[in-house]
Amino acid sequence: MKLRRPSNAVLGLGMAALVLGMFAFSYANVPLFRLFCAHFGLFGSGKAALRGGAGPGVAGAQGGLVTPMSSTTGNILGRNVQVKFMGVAGSGLPVRFAPSVPELSIHPGKPARLTYAFINMSDDSVFFRAVHSIVPNEAAKEFQLIQCFCFEDQALAPRERRDLPVYFALSPRFPPNVSEMILNYSLFPRDPKKGMPVPAAQAN
């Protein structure tokens, strides 16, 4: 027996029903997807977001509370990091230097400035290079020197005293588990007749 092929009208109706069913299925999945995200706290749909935020904040468009803007590692607006400053001169270098303040309380994301005072204790000119280091190591990745005497070789005339600036900032992504760091400078004598292998600004 020969099977009868469905007419074009029946086939068209079947295809239309299939498309309509697929559209209805996808439409119904939107609220289901939102409920799934809300339950598991995905894409900003956690419990705090559904309540309009928890704890101190500012009024949102819907009258709820919206928590302050924060970095990827936590709220930076109410956070301070203690930055301590140190320095040591290399053996045989007759230079004394010290920061204008021993430490500063810094907000991540906001720049800070201080100076280091240098004194040549000898009757001869001195040439030196400053190299900075940061402790702990994880803080170094989010520490940015904007202006620093360590970018260039320095020279002091006999008995000269000079104040040199340091301008820096901590990234908003500063590690949340680090509340204290040390910025240390070490001075090394330099031969003014010998250049650096790379420009000083690129070496830092």
Side-chain angles (χ1 to χ4, degrees):
M1 179 182 254
K2 207 171 182 183
L3 294 176
R4 296 178 60 186
R5 294 179 60 185
S7 66
N8 291 338
V10 174
L11 184 61
L13 287 175
M15 292 295 293
L18 178 62
V19 171
L20 184 62
M22 291 176 64
F23 177 79
F25 178 77
S26 61
Y27 182 81
N29 268 306
V30 172
L32 292 176
F33 180 74
R34 287 177 178 172
L35 288 175
F36 177 82
C37 291
H39 180 75
F40 291 98
L42 301 175
F43 305 108
S45 300
K47 294 180 180 179
L50 292 175
R51 293 196 303 266
V58 295
Q62 303 300 326
L65 290 178
V66 179
T67 54
M69 291 181 63
S70 62
S71 72
T72 55
T73 56
N75 186 0
I76 64 172
L77 299 181
R79 181 185 177 202
N80 286 349
V81 177
Q82 293 300 121
V83 182
K84 299 183 178 181
F85 307 100
M86 300 177 63
V88 58
S91 177
L93 189 63
V95 175
R96 290 183 182 175
F97 74 112
S100 54
V101 292
E103 63 181 79
L104 287 174
S105 182
I106 306 297
H107 291 284
K110 294 185 177 181
R113 184 185 177 95
L114 74 152
T115 59
Y116 268 76
F118 292 80
I119 304 177
N120 180 0
M121 306 301 296
S122 73
D123 294 323
D124 297 316
S125 296
V126 293
F127 303 87
F128 61 90
R129 172 76 167 179
V131 177
H132 73 279
S133 59
I134 295 170
V135 177
N137 289 332
E138 57 188 311
K141 298 178 181 179
E142 304 300 339
F143 178 87
Q144 180 185 15
L145 278 173
I146 303 170
Q147 181 181 3
C148 180
F149 50 81
C150 60
F151 290 168
E152 301 175 341
D153 289 347
Q154 301 294 333
L156 293 174
R159 303 294 173 179
E160 181 184 4
R161 183 190 187 281
R162 189 187 305 169
D163 291 333
L164 298 176
V166 177
Y167 193 39
F168 69 93
L170 305 182
S171 166
R173 298 179 300 275
F174 197 82
N177 60 312
V178 177
S179 60
E180 186 175 285
M181 60 161 283
I182 297 174
L183 172 60
N184 180 68
Y185 286 98
S186 299
L187 304 188
F188 299 95
R190 289 281 299 146
D191 186 342
K193 298 179 182 179
K194 297 181 180 179
M196 295 291 292
V198 295
Q202 297 180 20
N204 287 273

